[in-house]
Amino acid sequence: MSDATDPWLIVGLGNPGPDYAANRHNVGFMVVDLLAERIGGKFKRAQKAQAQVVEGRIGPPGPASRRVVLVKPMSYMNLSGGPVTALRDFYKVPTDHVVAVHDELDVDYGMLRLKLGGGDNGHNGLKSMTKSMGPDYHRVRFGIGRPPGRMQVADFVLKDFSSTERKELAFLVDRSADAVECLLAEGLERAQSAYNS
């Protein structure tokens, strides 16, 4: 059972390398990059896993502050579970203190949904994490909507956000980072009522 002093593992899901950096599938990386910026940390290679990490604290100084490890798996999306589980074990993080930030096809663009546990909905990063450590981790689901027309899902998620979407993207990434901070500071129910749209 976790308690308030346990660290949190905040995992941005995405694919490594400049070719993928602005893809819809990489919005998890964008959110943890912003969180790292907020706490004044720089990602460095993890010793114990194929990932980049930043350690720090989120929240106001004092008892409300939460110890966090921000994570970007460098293993490609469909192999995210290995590095995440290795880091969870290394930092002794309870599974319910793991948060996956990821793109979500079944949520409209601009919408957020937070939840604990559940299925993977065909998302390869979640599928890999669930296979490695079970489903009982938090998810911050960043809506990207469904592909237009007959476009294949794989093509859609590996494309950059459209010019129209990019107008709002910085605001939405900022809002998602706020949602992660709210989840850690005030719990899932408060974060859901504030950010689930």
Side-chain angles (χ1 to χ4, degrees):
M1 193 62 197
S2 55
D3 70 37
T5 60
D6 286 321
W8 287 78
L9 208 61
I10 313 299
V11 181
L13 290 177
N15 287 307
D19 291 350
Y20 298 102
N23 288 179
R24 291 182 178 93
H25 223 19
N26 268 44
V27 76
F29 275 18
M30 297 173 199
V31 174
V32 293
D33 280 340
L34 178 58
L35 286 166
E37 206 177 290
R38 287 182 180 184
I39 64 174
K42 287 218 179 315
F43 278 97
K44 60 183 194 299
R45 240 180 77 209
Q47 297 297 310
K48 302 288 176 187
Q50 194 180 353
Q52 291 185 353
V53 295
V54 171
E55 295 179 51
R57 297 192 86 84
I58 283 180
S65 155
R66 300 284 180 259
R67 195 173 137 226
V68 295
V69 183
L70 306 174
V71 180
K72 294 196 291 188
M74 292 285 120
S75 55
Y76 289 97
M77 184 67 87
N78 57 352
L79 298 172
S80 302
V84 174
T85 305
L87 291 169
R88 180 201 63 174
D89 295 347
F90 176 70
Y91 288 104
K92 299 180 171 53
V93 177
T95 301
D96 68 351
H97 274 212
V98 176
V99 181
V101 184
H102 64 92
D103 57 304
E104 177 59 64
L105 288 159
D106 282 342
V107 176
D108 290 339
Y109 182 71
M111 303 284 135
L112 268 185
R113 295 274 193 286
L114 286 81
K115 69 175 192 170
L116 174 62
D120 57 56
N121 208 18
H123 192 290
N124 287 331
L126 297 180
K127 200 175 284 184
S128 178
M129 282 180 63
T130 297
K131 188 176 173 190
S132 284
M133 61 184 190
D136 300 325
Y137 53 91
H138 286 86
R139 297 100 192 277
V140 174
R141 304 159 72 209
F142 185 109
I144 60 168
R146 284 262 157 204
R150 297 182 172 200
M151 187 189 286
Q152 294 295 310
V153 164
D155 295 334
F156 179 68
V157 299
L158 293 176
K159 277 204 173 8
D160 291 359
F161 286 98
S162 70
S163 54
T164 309
E165 289 169 335
R166 281 199 297 272
K167 287 177 185 151
E168 281 188 288
L169 185 59
F171 166 76
L172 297 170
V173 167
D174 195 63
R175 190 166 180 271
S176 303
D178 290 348
V180 171
E181 291 186 356
C182 181
L183 170 65
L184 270 54
E186 301 184 47
L188 180 60
E189 278 184 34
R190 286 293 293 275
Q192 284 174 325
S193 64
Y195 292 96
N196 277 13
S197 44

